[in-house]
Every structure is written in structure tokens, then in C-alpha cells.
Amino acid sequence: SIEFVTNLDNIFFWLTAYGYFGFGAQKDATMVLNAKPCSVVLAVPHDEDGRKSKTGRHASVRSGSSGLNTTPRTKRRFPRLLFTTSLFILMIIGWAIIFTWIRQGEFLCQTVFVQFSDYSNPDLAPFTGLYD
């Protein structure tokens, strides 16, 4: 169970790093990816070139690049929206198919085996068997 939770954490971290949960969260995840064990996070917000930020919105870690695309969300919104919408529609279609099969009785058993033990009620033991 710990491995399952760890894998969920990794999945959400990488989705955040690729910008699926907003640009601010992507910047934070990129800072974590760029950080080296002894890196110092600057307390004063800085731009990418090291100068003080006038907006005060982005802090940076002074280390290498992670290789992730950190362009603003507006430039990459449509492909991500198309992917997410397509995935959602496919999930709804799959759910509708399975729901229809359940309503039609596709997963119901045709024959049921019932076994009554002498321990619970000895009078029911003769009724043990297969029922259609």
C-alpha cells in the first residue's frame, strides 16, 4: 500500500511539473527538480536571469535546468485541454458501455451453487445444489 501511495505521489508530481495544475505549481515543481542537495533557495523573488523580480511572483533555485517546458500556460493550453477532454470523453463512453451491459444482465450468473451446512440449520442440508 505504501508503494501505491508513492506511485500516486510521483504521478501527481510529474503532472504538476508538466503544467497540468497551473503555471505557479509548475514553477514550484521545476524548482524541486532543479534543486541540488546543497542548493540555496533565494528568499528574495528573482527572475530567470538573477535580477530582483518587480512582480515578486517567482522565486528561483540557482542551479541547472530540468529540461521541462516552462512556457506560460496560455501557449500550451489547447493541446492539453484537447487531451484532457478526449480522455474524459473516453472514460464516460467506457462507463456507459459497462453500465449498459450491467443493466442488460451480462454479468449475472446463469447458475448458482448453494451449499447449506448442517452446522447452521440441519433442515436446510437437503436443499444444497445448483439452481438456475
Side-chain angles (χ1 to χ4, degrees):
S1 102
I2 292 174
E3 183 179 350
F4 175 74
V5 172
T6 303
N7 286 333
L8 281 179
D9 180 56
N10 290 339
I11 289 168
F12 279 103
F13 177 78
W14 285 107
L15 286 174
T16 303
Y18 283 107
Y20 282 90
F21 296 112
F23 187 65
Q26 181 183 14
K27 287 293 243 183
D28 292 341
T30 304
M31 284 182 6
V32 171
L33 284 174
N34 290 339
K36 293 181 181 175
C38 295
S39 292
V40 177
V41 177
L42 300 173
V44 179
H46 286 73
D47 286 331
E48 285 78 20
D49 59 357
R51 295 184 310 216
K52 286 186 180 179
S53 174
K54 292 188 175 36
T55 60
R57 296 176 71 180
H58 302 296
S60 64
V61 175
R62 305 305 289 238
S63 60
S65 173
S66 68
L68 290 176
N69 187 1
T70 58
T71 58
R73 191 180 143 154
T74 55
K75 292 183 180 179
R76 297 184 302 138
R77 181 178 290 166
F78 181 72
R80 191 177 322 134
L81 180 64
L82 181 66
F83 171 74
T84 307
T85 305
S86 301
L87 186 63
F88 178 73
I89 289 171
L90 285 174
M91 288 173 51
I92 294 295
I93 289 171
W95 172 80
I97 290 170
I98 291 173
F99 181 78
T100 304
W101 287 345
I102 290 171
R103 296 280 292 177
Q104 292 174 352
E106 290 287 326
F107 299 110
L108 293 178
C109 297
Q110 301 300 322
T111 303
V112 177
F113 176 73
V114 180
Q115 181 176 4
F116 296 106
S117 67
D118 293 332
Y119 178 74
S120 61
N121 191 347
D123 295 335
L124 294 177
F127 296 106
T128 297
L130 296 172
Y131 292 93
D132 290 332

